[in-house]
Amino acid sequence: MAACTSRTREMMGLLRILRHFPQNERLLSTSILRHAAASDGPPKFTPPTKPVIDKTQKEASLRWFLSPEFIPPRQRTNPVKFSVERKDMIQRRKVLNIPEFYVGSILAVTMTDPHVNGNLNRFVGICIQRSGKGLGATFIPRNVVDGQGVEICYELYNPHMRKIEVLKLEKRLDDNLMYLRDALPEYSSFNFDMQPVHYEITGDIPVSPVRRSIKSKNEAKTMMMEHAQKWAEPWRPCDMLKEYDTFSLEEQIFKERAEENTPKNGN
């Protein structure tokens, strides 16, 4: 141990002498110190500092959610346009609280309507589609009212929008629930007086386990045949010449005259 200490002292003395040559000072100093450290033994282990956890941070801010209309489409677009729209959307969100919701969530939307008592119209339904980017973002809730399916396409940043309330936050495996049009009515029927269902803000979004039941094969086949017959000759209702087409009528008249002129047996 004494030999190592004396050797270190000799190297440090040599380093003081070589300081008169600044061009080689850095190279020699690092090499000498490295050699001295290797001769003295391995360096002492220093444990890392413990991370500081801010306990005042709210749990609600731990889950990060970005509304899909903020992401521009994957095509040739003008970045300046979407940048200006994003600033406008952020300013509008300061006035209107747009909550987190997905396709499959049950929403209550309140809009300003001058034709309704109180100038407010409230609609409850399941979100079956979200589309559009930027200020053109839309969503469609669906509900069955008096046995009739009702769908309303709302603009998310419409100035007439008053309130968007999430009655039940959940999502489906599909990004589009348009197939609910062919499903049984109970899968799209919701009470307008439905109370909000409590959910954890920091937990995972629940995925609905509901499996829809499509109409029977015979009903679906009948609907397809009716649809096909409707569009087989779409020009017929607008065909103005069919009123002046007398070819089939002339054939019928000639046939009747021929039957009248033909002598009957026994005459």
Side-chain angles (χ1 to χ4, degrees), residues 103-172:
V103 173
S105 301
I106 303 175
L107 309 176
V109 185
T110 304
M111 291 280 293
T112 302
D113 191 352
H115 305 288
V116 180
N117 294 333
N119 296 332
L120 293 178
N121 184 11
R122 185 174 183 268
F123 183 77
V124 176
I126 180 173
C127 181
I128 61 175
Q129 187 185 55
R130 290 192 68 172
S131 61
K133 300 295 182 180
L135 293 175
T138 59
F139 65 99
I140 302 177
R142 173 183 171 84
N143 199 347
V144 177
V145 182
D146 295 335
Q148 180 66 38
V150 180
E151 298 176 3
I152 302 178
C153 182
Y154 290 105
E155 295 179 357
L156 193 60
Y157 294 94
N158 191 338
H160 296 283
M161 185 76 67
R162 283 298 188 89
K163 185 179 180 181
I164 301 176
E165 185 180 2
V166 180
L167 301 181
K168 186 176 182 181
L169 181 65
E170 63 180 7
K171 59 183 178 179
R172 303 289 182 91

Coordinates of all heavy atoms in Angstrom, one line a residue, residues 103-172:
V103 N -66.5 5.9 -29.4 CA -67.6 5.2 -30.1 C -68.1 4.1 -29.2 O -67.4 3.2 -28.8 CB -67.2 4.7 -31.4 CG1 -68.3 3.9 -32.1 CG2 -66.8 5.8 -32.3
G104 N -69.4 4.2 -28.8 CA -70.0 3.2 -27.9 C -70.4 3.8 -26.6 O -71.1 3.2 -25.8
S105 N -70.0 5.1 -26.3 CA -70.4 5.8 -25.1 C -71.8 6.3 -25.3 O -72.2 6.7 -26.4 CB -69.4 6.9 -24.8 OG -68.1 6.4 -24.6
I106 N -72.5 6.4 -24.2 CA -73.8 7.0 -24.1 C -73.7 8.5 -23.8 O -73.2 8.8 -22.7 CB -74.7 6.2 -23.2 CG1 -74.8 4.7 -23.6 CG2 -76.2 6.8 -23.2 CD1 -75.5 3.9 -22.6
L107 N -74.3 9.3 -24.6 CA -74.1 10.8 -24.5 C -75.5 11.4 -24.3 O -76.5 10.9 -24.8 CB -73.4 11.4 -25.7 CG -72.0 10.7 -26.1 CD1 -71.5 11.4 -27.3 CD2 -71.0 10.8 -25.0
A108 N -75.4 12.6 -23.7 CA -76.6 13.5 -23.6 C -76.1 14.8 -24.2 O -75.3 15.5 -23.6 CB -77.1 13.6 -22.2
V109 N -76.7 15.2 -25.3 CA -76.2 16.4 -26.0 C -77.3 17.5 -25.9 O -78.5 17.2 -26.2 CB -75.9 16.1 -27.5 CG1 -75.4 17.4 -28.2 CG2 -74.9 15.0 -27.6
T110 N -77.0 18.7 -25.5 CA -77.9 19.8 -25.4 C -77.5 20.9 -26.4 O -76.4 21.4 -26.4 CB -77.9 20.4 -24.0 OG1 -78.2 19.3 -23.0 CG2 -78.9 21.5 -23.8
M111 N -78.5 21.2 -27.2 CA -78.3 22.2 -28.3 C -79.3 23.3 -28.1 O -80.4 23.2 -27.6 CB -78.4 21.6 -29.7 CG -77.3 20.6 -30.0 SD -75.8 21.4 -30.6 CE -76.4 22.1 -32.1
T112 N -78.9 24.5 -28.7 CA -79.8 25.6 -28.7 C -80.7 25.5 -29.9 O -80.3 25.3 -31.0 CB -79.0 27.0 -28.8 OG1 -78.1 27.1 -27.7 CG2 -80.0 28.1 -28.8
D113 N -82.1 25.5 -29.6 CA -83.1 25.3 -30.7 C -84.2 26.4 -30.5 O -84.9 26.3 -29.5 CB -83.6 23.9 -30.6 CG -84.5 23.6 -31.9 OD1 -84.8 24.5 -32.7 OD2 -84.9 22.5 -32.0
P114 N -84.3 27.4 -31.4 CA -85.3 28.4 -31.2 C -86.8 27.9 -31.3 O -87.7 28.6 -30.9 CB -85.0 29.4 -32.2 CG -84.3 28.7 -33.3 CD -83.5 27.6 -32.6
H115 N -87.0 26.7 -31.9 CA -88.3 26.1 -32.1 C -88.8 25.2 -30.9 O -89.8 24.6 -31.1 CB -88.3 25.3 -33.4 CG -87.8 26.1 -34.6 ND1 -88.6 27.1 -35.2 CD2 -86.7 26.0 -35.3 CE1 -87.9 27.6 -36.2 NE2 -86.7 27.0 -36.3
V116 N -88.0 25.2 -29.8 CA -88.4 24.4 -28.7 C -88.6 25.3 -27.5 O -88.0 26.3 -27.3 CB -87.3 23.3 -28.4 CG1 -87.7 22.5 -27.2 CG2 -87.1 22.5 -29.6
N117 N -89.5 24.9 -26.6 CA -89.8 25.7 -25.4 C -88.5 25.7 -24.5 O -87.9 24.6 -24.2 CB -90.9 25.1 -24.6 CG -92.2 25.2 -25.3 OD1 -92.4 26.1 -26.1 ND2 -93.2 24.3 -25.0
G118 N -88.1 26.8 -24.1 CA -86.8 27.0 -23.4 C -85.6 27.1 -24.2 O -84.5 27.3 -23.7
N119 N -85.8 27.0 -25.6 CA -84.7 27.2 -26.5 C -83.6 26.2 -26.3 O -82.4 26.4 -26.8 CB -84.1 28.6 -26.4 CG -85.1 29.7 -26.8 OD1 -86.0 29.4 -27.6 ND2 -84.9 30.9 -26.3
L120 N -83.9 25.0 -25.7 CA -82.9 24.0 -25.5 C -83.5 22.7 -25.9 O -84.6 22.3 -25.6 CB -82.4 23.9 -24.1 CG -81.6 25.1 -23.5 CD1 -81.3 24.9 -22.1 CD2 -80.3 25.4 -24.3
N121 N -82.7 21.9 -26.7 CA -83.1 20.6 -27.1 C -82.1 19.6 -26.6 O -80.9 19.7 -26.9 CB -83.2 20.5 -28.7 CG -83.7 19.2 -29.2 OD1 -84.2 18.4 -28.4 ND2 -83.6 19.0 -30.5
R122 N -82.5 18.5 -25.9 CA -81.6 17.5 -25.3 C -81.9 16.2 -26.0 O -83.1 15.8 -26.0 CB -81.8 17.5 -23.8 CG -80.9 16.5 -23.1 CD -81.0 16.7 -21.6 NE -80.1 15.8 -20.8 CZ -80.4 14.6 -20.4 NH1 -81.5 14.0 -20.7 NH2 -79.5 13.9 -19.8
F123 N -80.9 15.5 -26.4 CA -81.0 14.2 -27.1 C -80.0 13.3 -26.4 O -78.8 13.6 -26.2 CB -80.7 14.3 -28.6 CG -80.9 13.0 -29.3 CD1 -82.1 12.6 -29.6 CD2 -79.8 12.3 -29.7 CE1 -82.3 11.4 -30.3 CE2 -79.9 11.1 -30.4 CZ -81.2 10.7 -30.7
V124 N -80.5 12.1 -26.2 CA -79.7 11.0 -25.5 C -79.6 9.9 -26.5 O -80.6 9.4 -27.1 CB -80.4 10.5 -24.2 CG1 -79.6 9.4 -23.6 CG2 -80.5 11.7 -23.2
G125 N -78.4 9.3 -26.6 CA -78.2 8.2 -27.5 C -76.7 7.7 -27.4 O -75.9 8.3 -26.7
I126 N -76.5 6.6 -28.1 CA -75.2 5.9 -28.1 C -74.4 6.5 -29.3 O -74.9 6.6 -30.4 CB -75.3 4.4 -28.1 CG1 -73.9 3.7 -28.2 CG2 -76.2 3.9 -29.3 CD1 -74.0 2.2 -28.0
C127 N -73.2 6.8 -29.1 CA -72.3 7.3 -30.2 C -71.9 6.2 -31.1 O -71.3 5.2 -30.7 CB -71.1 8.0 -29.6 SG -70.0 8.7 -30.8
I128 N -72.4 6.2 -32.3 CA -72.1 5.2 -33.3 C -71.0 5.5 -34.3 O -70.5 4.6 -35.0 CB -73.4 4.8 -34.0 CG1 -73.9 5.9 -34.9 CG2 -74.4 4.2 -33.1 CD1 -75.1 5.6 -35.7
Q129 N -70.6 6.8 -34.3 CA -69.6 7.2 -35.3 C -68.9 8.5 -34.9 O -69.6 9.4 -34.4 CB -70.1 7.3 -36.7 CG -69.1 7.6 -37.8 CD -69.7 7.8 -39.1 OE1 -70.5 8.6 -39.3 NE2 -69.3 7.0 -40.1
R130 N -67.6 8.6 -35.0 CA -66.9 9.9 -34.9 C -66.1 10.0 -36.2 O -65.3 9.1 -36.6 CB -66.0 9.9 -33.7 CG -66.7 10.0 -32.4 CD -65.8 10.3 -31.2 NE -65.3 11.6 -31.3 CZ -64.5 12.2 -30.3 NH1 -64.2 11.5 -29.2 NH2 -64.1 13.4 -30.5
S131 N -66.2 11.2 -36.8 CA -65.5 11.4 -38.1 C -65.1 12.9 -38.2 O -65.6 13.7 -37.4 CB -66.4 11.0 -39.3 OG -67.6 11.7 -39.3
G132 N -64.3 13.2 -39.2 CA -64.0 14.6 -39.5 C -62.7 14.9 -38.7 O -62.4 14.4 -37.6
K133 N -62.0 15.9 -39.2 CA -60.8 16.4 -38.6 C -60.9 18.0 -38.4 O -61.6 18.6 -39.2 CB -59.6 16.1 -39.4 CG -59.3 14.6 -39.7 CD -59.0 13.9 -38.4 CE -58.7 12.4 -38.6 NZ -58.4 11.7 -37.4
G134 N -60.2 18.5 -37.4 CA -60.2 19.9 -37.1 C -61.6 20.4 -36.7 O -62.4 19.7 -36.0
L135 N -62.0 21.6 -37.2 CA -63.3 22.2 -36.9 C -64.4 21.4 -37.5 O -65.6 21.7 -37.2 CB -63.3 23.6 -37.3 CG -62.4 24.6 -36.5 CD1 -62.4 26.0 -37.1 CD2 -62.7 24.6 -35.0
G136 N -64.2 20.6 -38.5 CA -65.2 19.8 -39.1 C -65.5 18.5 -38.5 O -66.1 17.6 -39.1
A137 N -65.1 18.3 -37.2 CA -65.3 17.0 -36.5 C -66.8 16.9 -36.2 O -67.4 17.8 -35.8 CB -64.5 17.0 -35.2
T138 N -67.3 15.6 -36.4 CA -68.7 15.3 -36.1 C -68.8 14.0 -35.3 O -67.9 13.2 -35.3 CB -69.5 15.2 -37.4 OG1 -68.9 14.2 -38.2 CG2 -69.5 16.5 -38.2
F139 N -69.9 13.8 -34.7 CA -70.3 12.6 -34.0 C -71.8 12.4 -34.1 O -72.5 13.3 -34.2 CB -69.8 12.6 -32.5 CG -70.5 13.6 -31.7 CD1 -71.6 13.2 -30.9 CD2 -70.2 14.9 -31.7 CE1 -72.2 14.1 -30.1 CE2 -70.8 15.8 -30.9 CZ -71.9 15.4 -30.1
I140 N -72.2 11.1 -34.2 CA -73.5 10.7 -34.4 C -74.0 9.8 -33.2 O -73.6 8.7 -33.0 CB -73.7 9.9 -35.7 CG1 -73.2 10.7 -36.9 CG2 -75.1 9.5 -35.9 CD1 -73.2 10.0 -38.2
P141 N -75.0 10.4 -32.4 CA -75.6 9.5 -31.4 C -76.9 8.9 -32.0 O -77.6 9.5 -32.8 CB -75.9 10.5 -30.3 CG -76.0 11.8 -30.9 CD -75.1 11.8 -32.2
R142 N -77.3 7.7 -31.5 CA -78.4 7.0 -32.0 C -79.3 6.6 -30.9 O -78.8 6.2 -29.8 CB -78.0 5.8 -32.9 CG -79.2 4.9 -33.3 CD -78.7 3.7 -34.1 NE -79.8 2.8 -34.3 CZ -80.7 2.8 -35.3 NH1 -80.6 3.8 -36.2 NH2 -81.6 1.9 -35.5
N143 N -80.6 6.7 -31.1 CA -81.6 6.2 -30.1 C -82.9 5.8 -30.8 O -83.1 6.2 -31.9 CB -81.9 7.3 -29.1 CG -82.5 6.8 -27.8 OD1 -82.9 5.6 -27.7 ND2 -82.6 7.6 -26.8
V144 N -83.6 4.9 -30.2 CA -84.9 4.5 -30.8 C -86.0 5.2 -30.0 O -86.2 5.0 -28.8 CB -85.0 2.9 -30.7 CG1 -86.4 2.5 -31.2 CG2 -83.9 2.3 -31.5
V145 N -86.8 6.0 -30.7 CA -87.8 6.8 -30.1 C -89.2 6.4 -30.7 O -89.4 6.5 -31.9 CB -87.6 8.3 -30.3 CG1 -88.7 9.1 -29.6 CG2 -86.2 8.7 -29.7
D146 N -90.1 5.8 -29.9 CA -91.4 5.4 -30.3 C -91.3 4.4 -31.5 O -92.0 4.4 -32.5 CB -92.3 6.6 -30.8 CG -92.6 7.5 -29.6 OD1 -92.6 7.0 -28.5 OD2 -92.8 8.7 -29.9
G147 N -90.3 3.5 -31.3 CA -90.1 2.4 -32.3 C -89.4 2.8 -33.6 O -89.3 2.0 -34.5
Q148 N -89.0 4.1 -33.6 CA -88.3 4.6 -34.8 C -86.9 5.0 -34.5 O -86.6 5.7 -33.5 CB -89.0 5.8 -35.4 CG -88.4 6.4 -36.6 CD -88.5 5.5 -37.8 OE1 -89.5 4.8 -38.0 NE2 -87.4 5.5 -38.6
G149 N -85.9 4.5 -35.3 CA -84.5 4.8 -35.0 C -84.2 6.3 -35.4 O -84.6 6.7 -36.5
V150 N -83.6 7.0 -34.5 CA -83.3 8.4 -34.7 C -81.8 8.6 -34.6 O -81.2 8.2 -33.6 CB -84.1 9.3 -33.7 CG1 -83.7 10.8 -34.0 CG2 -85.6 9.1 -33.9
E151 N -81.2 9.2 -35.6 CA -79.8 9.6 -35.5 C -79.6 11.0 -35.9 O -80.2 11.5 -36.8 CB -79.0 8.7 -36.5 CG -79.1 7.2 -36.3 CD -78.4 6.4 -37.4 OE1 -77.8 7.1 -38.3 OE2 -78.4 5.2 -37.3
I152 N -78.8 11.7 -35.1 CA -78.5 13.1 -35.3 C -77.0 13.3 -35.5 O -76.2 12.8 -34.6 CB -79.0 14.0 -34.2 CG1 -80.5 13.8 -34.0 CG2 -78.7 15.5 -34.4 CD1 -81.1 14.5 -32.8
C153 N -76.6 14.0 -36.5 CA -75.2 14.3 -36.7 C -74.9 15.6 -36.2 O -75.4 16.7 -36.7 CB -74.8 14.2 -38.2 SG -73.1 14.5 -38.6
Y154 N -74.1 15.7 -35.1 CA -73.7 16.9 -34.5 C -72.3 17.4 -34.9 O -71.4 16.5 -35.0 CB -73.8 16.8 -32.9 CG -75.1 16.6 -32.4 CD1 -75.6 15.4 -31.9 CD2 -76.0 17.7 -32.2 CE1 -76.8 15.3 -31.3 CE2 -77.2 17.6 -31.7 CZ -77.7 16.4 -31.2 OH -78.9 16.2 -30.7
E155 N -72.1 18.7 -35.0 CA -70.8 19.2 -35.2 C -70.2 19.5 -33.8 O -70.8 20.2 -33.0 CB -70.8 20.5 -36.0 CG -71.3 20.3 -37.4 CD -71.3 21.6 -38.2 OE1 -71.1 22.7 -37.6 OE2 -71.6 21.6 -39.4
L156 N -69.0 18.9 -33.6 CA -68.5 19.0 -32.2 C -68.2 20.4 -31.8 O -68.3 20.7 -30.6 CB -67.2 18.2 -32.2 CG -66.6 17.8 -30.8 CD1 -67.6 17.1 -30.0 CD2 -65.3 17.1 -31.0
Y157 N -67.8 21.3 -32.7 CA -67.5 22.7 -32.4 C -68.5 23.6 -32.9 O -68.2 24.8 -33.2 CB -66.1 23.0 -32.9 CG -65.0 22.2 -32.3 CD1 -64.5 21.1 -32.8 CD2 -64.4 22.6 -31.1 CE1 -63.5 20.3 -32.2 CE2 -63.4 21.9 -30.5 CZ -62.9 20.8 -31.1 OH -61.9 20.1 -30.5
N158 N -69.8 23.2 -32.9 CA -70.9 24.1 -33.3 C -71.1 25.1 -32.3 O -71.2 24.8 -31.1 CB -72.1 23.2 -33.5 CG -73.2 24.0 -34.2 OD1 -73.3 25.2 -34.2 ND2 -74.2 23.3 -34.8
P159 N -71.2 26.4 -32.6 CA -71.5 27.5 -31.6 C -72.8 27.3 -30.9 O -72.9 27.8 -29.8 CB -71.5 28.8 -32.5 CG -70.7 28.4 -33.7 CD -71.0 27.0 -34.0
H160 N -73.7 26.5 -31.5 CA -75.0 26.3 -30.8 C -74.9 25.2 -29.8 O -75.9 24.9 -29.1 CB -76.1 26.0 -31.8 CG -76.4 27.1 -32.7 ND1 -77.1 28.2 -32.4 CD2 -76.0 27.3 -34.0 CE1 -77.2 29.0 -33.4 NE2 -76.6 28.5 -34.4
M161 N -73.8 24.5 -29.7 CA -73.6 23.4 -28.7 C -73.5 24.0 -27.3 O -72.7 24.9 -27.0 CB -72.4 22.6 -29.0 CG -72.2 21.4 -28.2 SD -73.3 20.0 -28.6 CE -72.7 19.6 -30.2
R162 N -74.4 23.5 -26.4 CA -74.4 24.0 -25.0 C -73.7 23.1 -24.1 O -73.0 23.5 -23.2 CB -75.9 24.2 -24.6 CG -76.5 25.5 -25.1 CD -75.8 26.7 -24.6 NE -76.5 27.9 -25.0 CZ -77.4 28.5 -24.2 NH1 -77.8 27.9 -23.1 NH2 -78.0 29.6 -24.6
K163 N -73.9 21.8 -24.2 CA -73.4 20.8 -23.2 C -73.3 19.5 -23.8 O -74.2 19.0 -24.5 CB -74.3 20.8 -22.0 CG -73.7 20.0 -20.8 CD -74.7 20.1 -19.6 CE -74.1 19.2 -18.5 NZ -75.0 19.3 -17.3
I164 N -72.2 18.8 -23.5 CA -72.1 17.4 -23.9 C -71.8 16.6 -22.6 O -70.8 16.8 -21.9 CB -70.9 17.2 -24.9 CG1 -71.2 18.0 -26.2 CG2 -70.7 15.7 -25.2 CD1 -70.0 17.9 -27.2
E165 N -72.7 15.7 -22.2 CA -72.6 15.0 -21.0 C -72.4 13.5 -21.3 O -73.2 12.9 -22.1 CB -73.8 15.2 -20.1 CG -73.8 14.6 -18.8 CD -75.0 14.8 -18.0 OE1 -76.0 15.4 -18.5 OE2 -75.1 14.4 -16.8
V166 N -71.4 12.9 -20.7 CA -71.2 11.4 -20.8 C -72.0 10.7 -19.7 O -71.6 10.8 -18.6 CB -69.7 11.1 -20.8 CG1 -69.5 9.6 -20.9 CG2 -68.9 11.9 -21.8
L167 N -73.0 10.0 -20.1 CA -73.8 9.3 -19.2 C -73.2 7.9 -18.8 O -73.3 7.5 -17.7 CB -75.2 9.0 -19.7 CG -76.0 10.3 -20.0 CD1 -77.4 9.9 -20.5 CD2 -76.1 11.2 -18.8
K168 N -72.5 7.3 -19.8 CA -71.8 6.1 -19.5 C -70.6 6.0 -20.5 O -70.7 6.0 -21.7 CB -72.7 4.9 -19.8 CG -72.1 3.5 -19.4 CD -73.1 2.4 -19.6 CE -72.5 1.1 -19.2 NZ -73.5 -0.1 -19.3
L169 N -69.4 6.0 -19.9 CA -68.2 6.0 -20.6 C -67.8 4.6 -20.9 O -67.4 3.8 -19.9 CB -67.1 6.7 -19.9 CG -65.7 6.8 -20.6 CD1 -65.9 7.6 -21.9 CD2 -64.7 7.4 -19.7
E170 N -67.8 4.2 -22.1 CA -67.3 2.8 -22.5 C -67.0 2.9 -24.0 O -67.3 3.9 -24.7 CB -68.3 1.7 -22.2 CG -69.6 1.9 -22.9 CD -70.6 0.7 -22.6 OE1 -70.2 0.0 -21.7 OE2 -71.6 0.6 -23.2
K171 N -66.3 1.9 -24.5 CA -66.0 1.8 -25.9 C -66.2 0.4 -26.4 O -66.3 -0.5 -25.6 CB -64.6 2.3 -26.2 CG -63.5 1.6 -25.5 CD -62.2 2.2 -25.8 CE -61.0 1.5 -25.0 NZ -59.7 2.1 -25.3
R172 N -66.3 0.3 -27.7 CA -66.4 -1.0 -28.4 C -65.1 -1.4 -29.1 O -64.2 -0.6 -29.3 CB -67.6 -1.0 -29.4 CG -68.9 -0.5 -28.7 CD -69.5 -1.6 -27.8 NE -70.8 -1.2 -27.3 CZ -71.9 -1.5 -27.8 NH1 -72.0 -2.2 -29.0 NH2 -73.1 -1.1 -27.3

